[in-house]
Amino acid sequence: MDVDAQEPPATKVDGPKTGASRKTRSPAGSMRLSEIAALAGVSEATVSRVLNRKYGVAQKTRDQVEAALREVGYERSVKGEIVLILTPSLKGIIFSEMADEIETRLSPHGLRAVVCPVFPGTIAEQDYVEMLIDKGIAAAIFLSSSNTLRNSDPVAHQLLESRGVPFLTINGSFAAVEAPAISTDDWQAAELSVAHLHELGHRRIGMMAGPTGNIPADRRVEGYLTSMDSRGLTDAEDLVVRVHYSIDGGRSAADELLNAGATAIIASSDDMALGAYRAIRRRGLDVPGDVSVIGYNDTYMLEFTDPPLTSVRQPIEAIAELCTRTLVTMVQDRPVRTEETLVEPELRVRRSTGPVRSS
């Protein structure tokens, strides 16, 4: 998208619509770029960069220019500034944290995020795209939305493609679509969890995964099976339970795994792990004395669980930084790499994992 083409000529800026006069205002009813620069205390080049939404301007300097524009009555159009973020319900802490981090990093580039909570693969996603695309959105981000589903309805991203609106995906990519994708390395996340529990002596390690066809869930299962097999634990397929990402899903999956003799459980979300806590305690068992538990996402609340939950941390800051850098490049109509970028997760060890109890 050519951002420059959406702005007025860089040599002048419309003056106040009220007709009020200013001594710096030109007889033609407009202000020169040099006059705006003098008012803001910056260079003409900096004013031009702010007007054209270019990167490389410090937030404090950008604020000075924007204040000068408001002072002379220049009304800045939001067309071409909006970045649409499509994500599941913001009740999920990981999604709200990531959306907030992305919005914070987009702001210095003159871009504003509009977060639209949608259940992945539903008509709501298409509705948001159709409703906002005519407003002149600069770009879109599929944050764990339909891009996480295999064989999802392609209408939303096809509409963006047809209108030349750049987009990227986070934690899953669309099949046969050349768009940048930035994802947590779910295979590595599984390896970190299995390795940690194996070192603690666990051999009956269960996996609570998301639904089949969910790309991150499928990848974690693949990573889990590979990690278990590499350690000679060939019955791992019998210890995989697929459920929804929820506390209730985790509780029911944990019941199955405990019946199968699991001494440790790897969950595909922190909510699922907390559901496992509930199932374990209902049986009169202890975490981690009888059963160790590992979550996924590592949200801020885990320090306050009882016991504090060991979890694989999604690198939110690194993902947001890559996302912002890529998106700004795309908005400026410059080429970007379209292959998927995998970001390394980190295992945060707390007190929900411990040595296997001797029989």
Side-chain angles (χ1 to χ4, degrees), residues 204-209 237-244 248-265 275-276 279-280 283 291:
R204 297 290 290 175
I205 303 171
M207 175 75 176
M208 301 192 301
E237 288 189 7
D238 298 331
L239 294 173
V240 176
V241 181
R242 309 293 291 252
V243 291
H244 289 290
D248 285 341
R251 180 192 55 76
S252 64
D255 277 331
E256 287 191 46
L257 292 172
L258 292 171
N259 289 339
T263 64
I265 294 174
I280 292 165
R283 296 185 179 219
V291 184

Side-chain angles (χ1 to χ4, degrees), residues 264-323:
I265 294 174
I266 300 170
S268 288
S269 75
D270 293 331
D271 283 350
M272 294 169 78
L274 296 179
Y277 273 22
R278 182 175 298 176
I280 292 165
R281 285 172 176 157
R282 282 181 176 177
R283 296 185 179 219
L285 301 176
D286 177 67
V287 178
D290 297 297
V291 184
S292 289
V293 180
I294 294 180
Y296 184 88
N297 285 331
D298 193 54
T299 51
Y300 72 89
M301 65 180 180
L302 302 188
E303 295 285 356
F304 306 101
T305 58
D306 182 24
L309 179 65
T310 295
S311 185
V312 176
R313 182 178 184 275
Q314 287 210 62
I316 294 175
E317 294 82 4
I319 290 174
E321 174 62 27
L322 278 170
C323 175

Side-chain angles (χ1 to χ4, degrees), residues 204-222:
R204 297 290 290 175
I205 303 171
M207 175 75 176
M208 301 192 301
T212 300
N214 177 274
I215 293 173
D218 291 347
R219 289 174 171 181
R220 283 170 218 158
V221 170
E222 290 171 6

Side-chain angles (χ1 to χ4, degrees), residues 2-321:
D2 187 352
V3 180
D4 292 351
Q6 296 181 10
E7 294 296 336
T11 54
K12 63 181 182 180
V13 181
D14 291 341
K17 294 186 177 182
T18 59
S21 62
R22 294 177 52 87
K23 65 180 181 179
T24 54
R25 194 175 174 209
S26 70
S30 62
M31 295 192 69
R32 300 179 189 279
L33 198 65
S34 59
E35 294 172 311
I36 293 293
L39 186 61
V42 299
S43 68
E44 294 180 36
T46 297
V47 175
S48 178
R49 296 189 75 80
V50 173
L51 281 172
N52 291 298
R53 303 181 181 92
K54 296 291 187 180
Y55 72 105
V57 179
Q59 186 60 48
K60 182 178 179 181
T61 304
R62 188 181 296 276
D63 290 342
Q64 289 174 220
V65 176
E66 296 284 5
L69 292 171
R70 287 193 298 271
E71 187 176 342
V72 301
Y74 175 68
E75 295 185 5
R76 225 171 132 66
S77 170
V78 297
K79 188 171 184 178
E81 290 184 356
I82 298 173
V83 174
L84 175 62
I85 300 180
L86 298 159
T87 190
S89 170
L90 293 178
K91 292 179 182 178
I93 296 175
I94 186 66
F95 302 124
S96 58
E97 286 184 349
M98 197 170 294
D100 182 68
E101 189 72 27
I102 292 170
E103 197 282 331
T104 298
R105 292 171 186 267
L106 287 174
S107 183
H109 300 282
L111 297 170
R112 301 291 180 264
V114 174
V115 182
C116 301
V118 298
F119 191 80
T122 63
I123 191 66
E125 186 175 79
Q126 178 183 336
D127 287 345
Y128 273 123
V129 172
E130 289 180 341
M131 179 172 59
L132 293 174
I133 199 167
D134 287 331
K135 303 295 182 184
I137 57 175
I141 299 171
F142 291 85
L143 169 55
S144 297
S145 187
S146 61
N147 61 295
T148 63
L149 303 179
R150 301 190 191 277
N151 303 316
S152 62
D153 190 331
V155 172
H157 70 75
Q158 285 179 348
L159 180 57
L160 293 167
E161 285 181 298
S162 69
R163 299 287 288 273
V165 177
F167 64 88
L168 58 78
T169 64
I170 296 177
N171 285 337
S173 57
F174 296 115
V177 174
E178 291 192 0
I182 301 163
S183 303
T184 300
D185 189 336
D186 288 305
W187 296 281
Q188 179 64 15
E191 166 61 24
L192 290 172
S193 299
V194 171
H196 175 62
L197 294 169
H198 191 269
E199 288 173 4
L200 292 171
H202 294 276
R203 299 299 179 264
R204 297 290 290 175
I205 303 171
M207 175 75 176
M208 301 192 301
T212 300
N214 177 274
I215 293 173
D218 291 347
R219 289 174 171 181
R220 283 170 218 158
V221 170
E222 290 171 6
Y224 161 81
L225 293 175
T226 299
S227 297
M228 294 286 279
D229 185 66
S230 69
R231 291 169 174 82
L233 305 175
T234 56
D235 59 347
E237 288 189 7
D238 298 331
L239 294 173
V240 176
V241 181
R242 309 293 291 252
V243 291
H244 289 290
Y245 295 104
S246 67
I247 290 177
D248 285 341
R251 180 192 55 76
S252 64
D255 277 331
E256 287 191 46
L257 292 172
L258 292 171
N259 289 339
T263 64
I265 294 174
I266 300 170
S268 288
S269 75
D270 293 331
D271 283 350
M272 294 169 78
L274 296 179
Y277 273 22
R278 182 175 298 176
I280 292 165
R281 285 172 176 157
R282 282 181 176 177
R283 296 185 179 219
L285 301 176
D286 177 67
V287 178
D290 297 297
V291 184
S292 289
V293 180
I294 294 180
Y296 184 88
N297 285 331
D298 193 54
T299 51
Y300 72 89
M301 65 180 180
L302 302 188
E303 295 285 356
F304 306 101
T305 58
D306 182 24
L309 179 65
T310 295
S311 185
V312 176
R313 182 178 184 275
Q314 287 210 62
I316 294 175
E317 294 82 4
I319 290 174
E321 174 62 27

